[in-house]
Amino acid sequence: MVSTMLVLILIITSVFALVPRTSSCSIAVATFDGSGGVSGEIEIDEDGRVNVDLNVGGLDGSQCEDGGYEFAYHIHTLWEYDDLTPRFGSDACGSAYTGGHFNPYGVQTCVAAAAAGEEVDYYNCEIGDLSGRDGNLRRGYNDGSIDTTFTVATGCKGCDARLTPEAVYGRSVVFHCNDGSRLFCAPFDLQVYDRNNFKVKKNKRKN
């Protein structure tokens, strides 16, 4: 009986060993190409890590009360354009093209949760309220650079609920003036890369 069980275990182990394991990973990227005075990327990886690397030194922030010094930013539900070109202004980034905040649980903003004295966690405020989770972005003092990294995930041991590249694919990121008006936006594209050499293998969305 024991020998039979050992044989079965060896067979099962051998079968699993023959199954090819993929080394592919995905990352969602919203790219600003330098038009409108904004360049850089917003990236979201499979661990729920959000990386913001932007330069807004050439941005015209005159529509904002503070001249475009400080921005709130959120994931929005839509991108109703046929290309990946960033847009600028309250009309081009309006709800008809980018929808509202990405909020799958139908909860309050993270800003509202914090104002009510609640601890901001994964479930009690909008998944897409990025600035509510990590703070508003501010232009760098010298060259307009913005750089921050944080994670949108449950954070509990044994839990894996998190923001993923697939969840934001086809959606957008929208930056707002401090008065709430929409200033600039771009869509999330999905890129697949080989974790062994970090080279992008496929871009899932076409211009």
Side-chain angles (χ1 to χ4, degrees):
M1 181 67 178
V2 174
S3 59
T4 302
M5 289 296 296
L6 287 174
V7 170
L8 287 174
I9 291 172
L10 288 173
I11 292 174
I12 293 171
T13 303
S14 299
V15 169
F16 277 106
L18 293 174
V19 176
R21 295 184 179 182
T22 179
S23 61
S24 295
C25 291
S26 65
I27 188 168
V29 183
T31 302
F32 293 90
D33 57 11
S35 61
V38 181
S39 60
E41 296 178 333
I42 314 295
E43 297 179 343
I44 299 173
D45 68 16
E46 292 186 349
D47 293 321
R49 188 162 44 245
V50 179
N51 182 64
V52 179
D53 184 6
L54 293 177
N55 187 289
V56 296
L59 175 68
D60 178 7
S62 59
Q63 81 172 65
C64 303
E65 294 176 348
D66 65 351
Y69 170 72
E70 184 173 334
F71 313 104
Y73 65 114
H74 316 99
I75 299 168
H76 282 234
T77 55
L78 302 174
W79 183 257
E80 292 295 308
Y81 292 102
D82 293 330
D83 57 44
L84 303 176
T85 305
R87 262 57 177 197
F88 296 84
S90 55
D91 291 334
C93 293
S95 60
Y97 300 103
T98 62
H101 292 185
F102 178 51
N103 184 21
Y105 304 125
V107 291
Q108 62 191 331
T109 65
C110 298
V111 172
E118 299 178 28
E119 181 180 356
V120 171
D121 65 26
Y122 184 77
Y123 292 108
N124 75 337
C125 65
E126 294 178 350
I127 299 298
D129 185 6
L130 300 182
S131 53
R133 293 177 177 276
D134 190 57
N136 287 357
L137 299 177
R138 297 176 176 86
R139 294 190 193 220
Y141 287 106
N142 297 318
D143 62 356
S145 61
I146 296 173
D147 185 9
T148 187
T149 300
F150 59 99
T151 300
V152 181
T154 56
C156 65
K157 186 176 181 179
C159 303
D160 63 356
R162 64 199 183 282
L163 183 64
T164 65
E166 290 77 12
V168 302
Y169 172 57
R171 305 187 193 279
S172 56
V173 60
V174 178
F175 290 79
H176 301 258
C177 299
N178 57 3
D179 62 0
S181 60
R182 303 184 187 203
L183 186 57
F184 59 99
C185 57
F188 282 105
D189 195 13
L190 190 67
Q191 297 178 357
V192 178
Y193 66 92
D194 188 328
R195 75 176 75 207
N196 294 325
N197 58 26
F198 298 101
K199 291 183 179 179
V200 174
K201 297 196 297 184
K202 188 190 300 181
N203 190 312
K204 300 292 288 184
R205 184 168 178 166
K206 305 296 184 182
N207 286 341

